Amino acid sequence: MDSGEIVYAVVEEVIGKTGSRGGITQVKVKFQGTVERTLVRNVKGPVRKGDILALLESEREARRLR
């Protein structure tokens, strides 16, 4: 997974809302294709289980909600 390519991931689980006003949603995503890996990411805007996200950066993982 090179940092210059777009990677697609499917939302497996919506973990919760975060941010000072609740405008960010923390989700668990699973990469599409040959890579069997999951990440926790922060998403701005409406998102639900089953949505496909285009990740410009696929190495960083978000910190968990407390």
Side-chain angles (χ1 to χ4, degrees):
M1 280 184 275
D2 192 5
S3 61
E5 67 183 79
I6 296 176
V7 178
Y8 295 100
V10 178
V11 176
E12 282 191 329
E13 176 187 357
V14 176
I15 297 171
K17 296 281 191 176
T18 185
S20 61
R21 297 183 181 163
I24 306 295
T25 307
Q26 198 164 67
V27 297
K28 182 184 283 188
V29 297
K30 182 177 181 181
F31 291 115
Q32 283 188 328
T34 60
V35 181
E36 292 293 326
R37 191 170 149 217
T38 61
L39 282 180
V40 175
R41 294 298 297 252
N42 292 330
V43 179
K44 185 175 180 181
V47 66
R48 61 183 174 210
K49 185 176 178 180
D51 285 354
I52 298 175
L53 304 177
L55 304 177
L56 301 176
E57 198 279 319
S58 60
E59 295 299 319
R60 244 184 359 226
E61 187 163 2
R63 283 186 251 151
R64 302 281 178 160
L65 289 173
R66 290 183 231 153

